[in-house]
Amino acid sequence: MGSPVEPVNNSAVAEPTDKELIAEVLDGHTASFEPLVVKYQPRIFALARRYARRENEVEDIAQTVFLKAFSKLSSYKGTAPFEHWLMRTATYTCYDFLRKHQRNREWNATDLSDEENDWFENLGEESHAHTDREAARALVDKLLDELKPEDRHIIILLELERKSIREIADLTGLSESNVKVKAHRARERMRKSVDRLNPEKYL
Amino acid sequence: MEPSEKKNVKESEDILRKMLTETREIPVDHVPYAFEKRIMAHIEAAPQAAINLWQQWSQALWRAVVPCLAVMILVAVLDSPEAAGPQPQPAPSAPLTAQTQTTDEDLEAIVMLAIETPALDR
């Protein structure tokens, strides 16, 4: 009676997987790299913004990451997800950026902007205003400026990117215990810097 | 550690934690408009540059062929025996002459010794 229901060809509408796209790129279809860039660029930008403040620096980092990933794509073995491989490349690139742009500046309470002073004044209040969070970010940047690149790298991964000690050890090549010690010391240094920056303590 | 100092440490630890929490909450994953197009333009330009490099290299090699051949021919012509002209006769070797002279003198001395030694005959 009724015609047999034909199976729907899902492959026609399904998006190609990362592995398929990578295979196409390695086969010479350069354009297949674009969907990979579109898919992962928010994550790369988010990571780069933890390391660099200026937008032109952030864009430079993101661009370097994707160009490195493209040129070394043949070294991707496919044993781990592409995202992991790409984020590892991104983390190395960000660390290189830190080493090249080492600041090591010591800040004092007198260096704070009005917004940053206000943030300290309104500590007890639960505010989620954008300006408050930007002030908090600027303060964290000041605290991070005082750390060595390696310690800063560890704190960013641990406190801002929420990576585990094991992941950080894997990314930095340090032992887990070494990461823990460095993270503890760096955090202690940041805490002391908070005391120094806090205008209430300064006055 | 004094209780007041402990309180102080805890307070600054809380401030730091709040700072980090608020920093984490800021959305940082926005991407500039058409960023992927910029990346693709770089990627498409890069292999082109490599090809151009090879082209430049091969052109330079082809240009170098004529001068290299000219130098090769010139060296070959200058090095040929005809081009070099008559060769000077080799000088007689001094050690050989000295050796010959020594042999003649030795022979003469032996003969003279044989003639002038009457004591031996007795």
Side-chain angles (χ1 to χ4, degrees):
Chain A
M1 299 257 214
S3 59
V5 179
E6 287 185 13
V8 179
N9 188 5
N10 282 331
S11 64
V13 286
E15 286 182 8
T17 63
D18 288 358
K19 282 189 180 172
E20 287 167 348
L21 289 168
I22 291 163
E24 284 173 18
V25 174
L26 293 174
D27 217 27
H29 302 282
T30 313
S32 297
F33 192 68
E34 190 171 339
L36 292 170
V37 177
V38 172
K39 187 175 176 184
Y40 293 112
Q41 59 187 0
R43 289 225 49 202
I44 301 297
F45 268 88
L47 184 72
R49 284 198 181 94
R50 301 290 187 207
Y51 289 81
R53 192 76 208 257
R54 293 192 196 122
E55 266 310 290
N56 62 331
E57 290 174 337
V58 171
E59 287 179 22
D60 280 352
I61 291 174
Q63 184 174 304
T64 308
V65 170
F66 283 114
L67 295 181
K68 262 190 201 173
F70 179 79
S71 63
K72 293 180 179 174
L73 201 58
S74 56
S75 70
Y76 171 63
K77 304 289 177 212
T79 48
F82 176 67
E83 188 181 1
H84 291 188
W85 183 83
L86 184 67
M87 291 314 288
R88 181 181 285 263
T89 306
T91 310
Y92 290 152
T93 308
C94 288
Y95 183 48
D96 278 348
F97 172 84
L98 272 190
R99 284 192 300 184
K100 284 177 191 161
H101 297 80
Q102 191 172 357
R103 292 190 180 96
N104 274 4
R105 182 177 169 180
E106 194 167 278
W107 298 89
N108 288 304
T110 49
D111 299 319
L112 299 188
S113 67
D114 290 345
E115 291 80 17
E116 289 161 6
N117 273 314
D118 290 347
W119 189 89
F120 274 109
E121 278 178 26
N122 303 329
L123 263 175
E125 297 165 23
E126 274 301 315
S127 169
H128 298 290
H130 178 71
T131 48
D132 287 350
R133 288 190 299 201
E134 279 298 330
R137 186 192 171 185
L139 285 166
V140 168
D141 277 345
K142 283 188 166 65
L143 301 181
L144 291 173
D145 273 355
E146 299 185 4
L147 301 178
K148 286 190 284 182
E150 191 179 46
D151 295 346
R152 186 176 178 153
H153 187 46
I154 289 170
I155 288 291
I156 289 173
L157 293 173
L158 187 71
E159 301 290 351
L160 301 179
E161 284 294 303
R162 292 304 219 179
K163 301 269 185 209
S164 68
I165 294 285
R166 191 175 190 163
E167 283 174 306
I168 297 169
D170 187 37
L171 283 168
T172 55
L174 299 168
S175 67
E176 286 184 36
S177 54
N178 206 352
V179 171
K180 276 183 200 168
V181 169
K182 280 178 182 286
H184 178 76
R185 283 185 189 156
R187 221 190 134 98
E188 184 59 19
R189 175 141 194 216
M190 287 175 86
R191 192 192 59 71
K192 284 179 181 165
S193 302
V194 167
D195 272 350
R196 198 178 60 248
L197 286 177
N198 193 345
E200 284 180 24
K201 302 254 170 92
Y202 179 70
L203 295 169
Chain B
M1 198 183 275
E2 297 286 316
S4 62
E5 203 178 335
K6 263 187 183 173
K7 193 187 165 197
N8 194 10
V9 168
K10 192 176 179 314
E11 194 184 302
S12 47
E13 184 64 43
D14 288 346
I15 294 172
L16 178 60
R17 196 174 301 124
K18 190 170 193 277
M19 244 183 227
L20 290 167
T21 307
E22 287 193 11
T23 304
R24 268 198 304 270
E25 283 170 2
I26 299 174
V28 283
D29 61 352
H30 51 278
V31 177
Y33 177 73
F35 181 76
E36 68 278 5
K37 301 288 175 205
R38 201 191 308 175
I39 296 294
M40 294 314 292
H42 268 94
I43 286 171
E44 275 153 25
Q48 194 60 39
I51 290 166
N52 287 344
L53 205 68
W54 275 114
Q55 278 177 350
Q56 284 170 8
W57 174 245
S58 64
Q59 278 172 5
L61 280 181
W62 278 115
R63 270 190 226 119
V65 164
V66 175
C68 284
L69 276 174
V71 169
M72 199 176 80
I73 292 165
L74 194 69
V75 169
V77 166
L78 289 175
D79 202 38
S80 64
E82 291 84 10
Q87 296 289 317
Q89 289 297 317
S93 58
L96 188 64
T97 315
Q99 184 66 37
T100 315
Q101 283 172 354
T102 312
T103 314
D104 290 344
E105 280 169 12
D106 287 351
L107 190 63
E108 198 177 343
I110 291 165
V111 170
M112 290 302 291
L113 196 67
I115 295 166
E116 291 175 7
T117 49
L120 282 174
D121 294 336
R122 287 177 211 153

